[in-house]
Amino acid sequence: GNEPCPQPQTSEHLAAVEIMKLTNIIILQNKIDLVKESVALAQYEDIKRFVKGGVADGAPIIPISAQLKYNIDVVCEYIVKRIPVPRRNFIDPPRLIVV
């Protein structure tokens, strides 16, 4: 529970999202089982401030515990109901974006 929030790699992830021009973004606030509720709420606000004005501004922030499987069902439901299945092009050569 003593890790910084947001994590250092978050900027890199957001840069990759911007490069790939992704529009369907979910922010997962993981390891909430390791901190007190007040700390989790403060981290939530930190995340909102961190992404404000950027590509992830307005994206849902879902608090989860991967270890305890807390809110994993919420993540799955959001993906299934809110993120459209992309159209696939099976004619053109495949592309791979490397960041």
Side-chain angles (χ1 to χ4, degrees):
N2 60 355
E3 297 177 2
C5 180
Q7 289 283 294
Q9 67 269 26
T10 304
S11 293
E12 297 166 2
H13 293 160
L14 291 175
V17 164
E18 197 162 351
I19 289 168
M20 293 185 287
K21 298 181 179 5
L22 301 178
T23 56
N24 297 297
I25 301 166
I26 306 172
I27 300 169
L28 303 180
Q29 179 186 358
N30 197 10
K31 300 183 181 180
I32 61 163
D33 55 310
L34 301 179
V35 296
K36 293 181 180 180
E37 183 178 352
S38 60
V39 174
L41 289 170
Q43 290 175 345
Y44 180 89
E45 293 301 324
D46 290 343
I47 294 167
K48 280 177 45 175
R49 278 191 295 278
F50 185 77
V51 300
K52 186 174 175 75
V55 66
D57 193 358
I61 302 168
I62 303 175
I64 68 165
S65 168
Q67 289 291 321
L68 301 179
K69 297 177 177 53
Y70 175 74
N71 271 352
I72 301 303
D73 57 332
V74 174
V75 175
C76 293
E77 183 177 343
Y78 185 89
I79 291 170
V80 169
K81 291 187 175 181
R82 303 287 300 271
I83 297 181
V85 176
R87 295 184 61 181
R88 304 290 184 198
N89 178 345
F90 297 104
I91 298 170
D92 291 344
R95 295 181 345 179
L96 174 65
I97 298 174
V98 178
V99 180

